[in-house]
Amino acid sequence: MTKRKIIACLDIDNKRVVKGKKFQDVKELGDPLELAKKYETEGADELVFYDISASVQQRGMFLDLIRQIGESIEIPFIVGGGIQTLSDVELAIEAGADKVSINSGALNNPDLLREASERYGSSRIMLSMDVSQSETGQWTVFANAGMQDTGMDANEWAQKGAELGAGEIVLNCIDEDGMRNGYNLELTKLVADSVSIPVVASGGAGSAEHIREVFEQTQAQSALVASILHFNIVSLADLKDAARGVTSER
């Protein structure tokens, strides 16, 4: 039996925490180091740092900021954004990442997942997916912070990522991102049922009930939350209470 986890998410742009809706209208919200410490103190199981503009701007990671946060918290620390090569994975881990989340880099070079998992172990390598539903109902994968539709089927890419060695999948629904209407249960269930590795539900959390709902109705093992924490809509304690007692057979 596996305890369901709550993962606090820091979307980073220009070294500040930001948040938008459906990847649009991004607003600055605060200092990442302060929020990282705050969410750890309040009970987050893990913390994820996503540099949302690194791939788009074709620049390296904010290694100094990653190092500061990694040295300041003890909960598992996930780093993503701008991970394009095996060297980038190494730099993130050396800077303090316990896990590395790979998105566009894996789409550009799927073998990166295999190479990274072989060197560092699958448990430290995550496949991050930004997904949207087309007018025909197909779930497709987007690259470059949701700006580029790859046309790739989301479920097929999730299965491929697992085969290549990813130890976990962060499944973000662009259509629900920042909307606080709840996770997309259809998408989450589809992917979580088709892979044997843990899936992190992402995009849409707006209440403690949404946490309970995604854990009870899908096989997701973790829930990623951002704006409801940043705007003090729901406390981490309430989110943890919603997740408590809901366990997975996987």
Side-chain angles (χ1 to χ4, degrees):
M1 303 291 280
T2 303
K3 183 185 76 171
R4 304 292 179 111
K5 296 181 294 186
I6 303 297
I7 301 177
C9 177
L10 303 180
D11 290 322
I12 307 295
D13 189 17
N14 196 30
K15 295 190 177 183
R16 301 290 290 176
V17 176
V18 299
K19 190 58 187 173
K21 293 182 178 180
K22 300 183 181 182
F23 291 13
Q24 303 295 320
D25 301 322
V26 175
K27 298 178 181 179
E28 182 180 310
L29 297 176
D31 178 75
L33 183 57
E34 290 179 4
L35 288 175
K37 293 177 180 178
K38 176 177 185 287
Y39 296 151
E40 178 183 42
T41 299
E42 292 177 354
D45 294 299
E46 299 184 8
L47 180 82
V48 61
F49 173 113
Y50 277 135
D51 187 334
I52 64 171
S53 57
S55 291
V56 175
Q57 296 175 0
Q58 297 184 331
R59 59 165 171 77
M61 297 168 283
F62 295 132
L63 292 174
D64 55 340
L65 181 56
I66 292 170
R67 190 171 291 107
Q68 280 184 305
I69 294 174
E71 291 174 349
S72 301
I73 63 173
E74 296 183 1
I75 57 176
F77 182 34
I78 305 161
V79 171
I83 309 292
Q84 299 290 335
T85 66
L86 193 60
S87 177
D88 292 332
V89 176
E90 181 178 8
L91 287 171
I93 289 175
E94 287 180 347
D98 297 295
K99 303 178 187 179
V100 176
S101 181
I102 308 174
N103 192 325
S104 296
L107 290 167
N108 295 332
N109 175 24
D111 277 343
L112 177 58
L113 291 173
R114 178 183 54 78
E115 295 167 357
S117 63
E118 287 177 355
R119 177 170 295 189
Y120 298 104
S122 292
S123 63
R124 303 190 74 174
I125 305 301
M126 306 174 78
L127 171 62
S128 178
M129 299 171 53
D130 292 319
V131 179
S132 181
Q133 192 170 35
S134 69
E135 292 182 358
T136 63
Q138 180 187 16
W139 292 104
T140 57
V141 179
F142 281 66
N144 295 328
M147 297 176 63
Q148 177 187 351
D149 185 352
T150 68
M152 186 181 301
D153 180 80
N155 205 34
E156 292 178 2
W157 177 230
Q159 294 174 9
K160 181 67 173 179
E163 292 172 4
L164 287 167
E168 203 165 351
I169 291 173
V170 181
L171 182 64
N172 185 53
C173 181
I174 296 173
D175 307 330
E176 301 297 342
D177 186 82
M179 301 304 291
R180 304 178 202 156
N181 295 321
Y183 299 98
N184 191 295
L185 302 179
E186 176 190 345
L187 172 63
T188 307
K189 180 173 173 51
L190 175 70
V191 173
D193 284 351
S194 71
V195 297
S196 59
I197 60 176
V199 169
V200 180
S202 174
S207 68
E209 181 58 31
H210 292 153
I211 300 295
R212 184 179 297 107
E213 185 179 64
V214 76
F215 285 158
E216 289 181 346
Q217 297 187 36
T218 80
Q219 286 294 323
Q221 292 197 4
S222 302
L224 186 146
V225 293
S227 61
I228 57 172
L229 297 183
H230 304 333
F231 293 105
N232 298 309
I233 295 169
V234 185
S235 71
L236 264 163
D238 287 342
L239 298 180
K240 296 277 287 183
D241 284 344
R244 190 171 291 116
V246 183
T247 55
S248 171
E249 297 294 337
R250 289 187 179 183

